[in-house]
Amino acid sequence: MPPQNQALTADDNDSNNLLKGCKKTLDSSTSTETTEHFQVKWFSDWEGYGCVASRDIERYTLIHIETPFIKGDQISNALKLHNNGQLTSQLDDTEYLKQMCGKSDEEIECFWQLHDQYEHKYKEQPSTKRLWGIISSNSFENHEKNFQKRLYMATSRFNHSCSPNVAYEFFGWTIRLYAMREIKAGDTLCISYSDVMYHFPSEKRQKYLLGAFNFDCACNACDSSIDPAMRMKSDDNRERLKKIAIELKHRVNATLYSSEFCVQVKEVVDRVSCVREQPQGEREVTEEDKLRKREELREKARLRKLSKVTPIGQSDIDLISQYIALLEEENINFDMLPIYKLAYHISWKAGTTSNPPREYWEEKYLELVRCAKGFGESAALASLQNID
């Protein structure tokens, strides 16, 4: 991944022709011109393109708004045609973009400049990008629009970091990117490719990203030159985040921790581990091991049952406060809207004596939602009252 503080040079002007040459695409796919905050820059053959700040950016500054280049049925139909053997070459893919998506030659030329993580793995046409590969490498999905995929031209140029400085929210099909902390001109702008990756230690994150996105993460949080003591502290913090998330899930039915996603992560990590590491002989499980495991499960069940009948109170507010403090310490506070909303509702249920009071969380939420979603006062308040 690109370094976080690599300054722009005069040699980068050619790289920025990507934005200039695709200006028609950007203008047609964004509701406002927002590229004044960043430039697309070529880093290296290994790192590819990335985005850097073209000016100093303050926290909670909206830096980009974009609607999809292709979306929904356009993507799902393309993937079906590929899987059915009806799109067999880049020429077929180009014709699909023209005929079925209404894209111009200029727009398609820009599209083929996007990253395809499978580019060197195609047996029929090695080193040739494909539509399905670019979709798999760059598309987004979330609960809005029923998890239908969408692909954004400019947003696809933002690289990954496990401690990103840019966050994003969806409003319908539109994506809105904003700064989560102060950013200096020349800093690399990074997002997180997975919104729950912060629950995993560095080794597991790196294996997951390699298996899911085909790159070795070398961001500030994963850099091999990090002091081992600092890395251990960071991994401990993320383990603590996971434990708090699980506890809040049982206490207030919070969705901060996804068991389903963890299963997916384990499958990817196990697959990468099998390729990279020699299989190790496993120690035989003894009856004592089985007994200890059963006792652990019984104790967990007892504590969960007890936690559900205990009224929500200050201890729950302390938990969510600890959770937020750890996110901020690790610079992974990039998905804060649902967390601030959860904190508000916990404090509301805890009563008027809660500390911090619900007014504190309300102010935090409203400040962020105005930037992240572009809501006015009434819409912001209404979104806070709605329980997801």
Side-chain angles (χ1 to χ4, degrees), residues 87-97 108 111-112 116 119 122 125 127-131 134:
L87 295 180
T88 60
S89 68
Q90 191 180 96
L91 287 175
D92 290 344
D93 297 340
T94 296
E95 195 63 21
Y96 179 86
L97 289 171
I108 294 171
F111 174 80
W112 289 124
D116 179 353
E119 180 179 356
Y122 301 126
Q125 300 168 304
S127 300
T128 300
K129 296 179 182 180
R130 295 296 311 280
L131 174 58
I134 290 180

Side-chain angles (χ1 to χ4, degrees), residues 239-251:
E239 179 65 23
R240 176 61 180 152
L241 279 169
K242 183 174 75 172
K243 289 180 179 179
I244 293 176
I246 293 173
E247 191 166 351
L248 286 170
K249 180 177 182 179
H250 293 293
R251 286 289 296 145

Side-chain angles (χ1 to χ4, degrees), residues 193-245:
Y193 288 177
S194 175
D195 59 357
V196 292
M197 281 297 290
Y198 45 66
H199 286 144
F200 298 96
S202 57
E203 183 180 2
K204 185 172 285 189
R205 293 199 309 270
Q206 288 178 303
K207 287 181 178 179
Y208 173 75
L209 291 167
L210 178 64
F213 298 98
N214 195 34
F215 72 89
D216 289 299
C217 186
C219 71
N220 284 351
C222 296
D223 190 342
S224 58
S225 64
I226 295 175
D227 178 10
M230 292 181 62
R231 183 187 297 277
M232 185 178 296
K233 185 175 187 298
S234 176
D235 288 347
D236 288 345
N237 282 344
R238 292 177 189 247
E239 179 65 23
R240 176 61 180 152
L241 279 169
K242 183 174 75 172
K243 289 180 179 179
I244 293 176

Side-chain angles (χ1 to χ4, degrees), residues 98-146:
K98 284 182 179 179
Q99 299 299 325
M100 305 307 295
C101 304
K103 301 303 178 183
S104 67
D105 290 338
E106 182 184 17
E107 291 172 324
I108 294 171
E109 182 181 355
C110 292
F111 174 80
W112 289 124
Q113 295 179 49
L114 296 180
H115 175 62
D116 179 353
Q117 63 176 305
Y118 305 104
E119 180 179 356
H120 302 293
K121 297 184 178 181
Y122 301 126
K123 295 180 180 179
E124 301 84 359
Q125 300 168 304
S127 300
T128 300
K129 296 179 182 180
R130 295 296 311 280
L131 174 58
W132 80 271
I134 290 180
I135 289 171
S136 300
S137 303
N138 298 281
S139 61
F140 292 78
E141 60 183 51
N142 81 325
H143 66 279
E144 295 191 26
K145 303 298 181 181
N146 297 317

Side-chain angles (χ1 to χ4, degrees), residues 313-314 317 346-359 361:
Q314 184 62 44
I317 296 173
I346 288 175
S347 61
W348 181 78
K349 292 178 180 179
T352 56
T353 60
S354 61
N355 181 31
R358 69 171 182 263
E359 290 80 11
W361 300 116

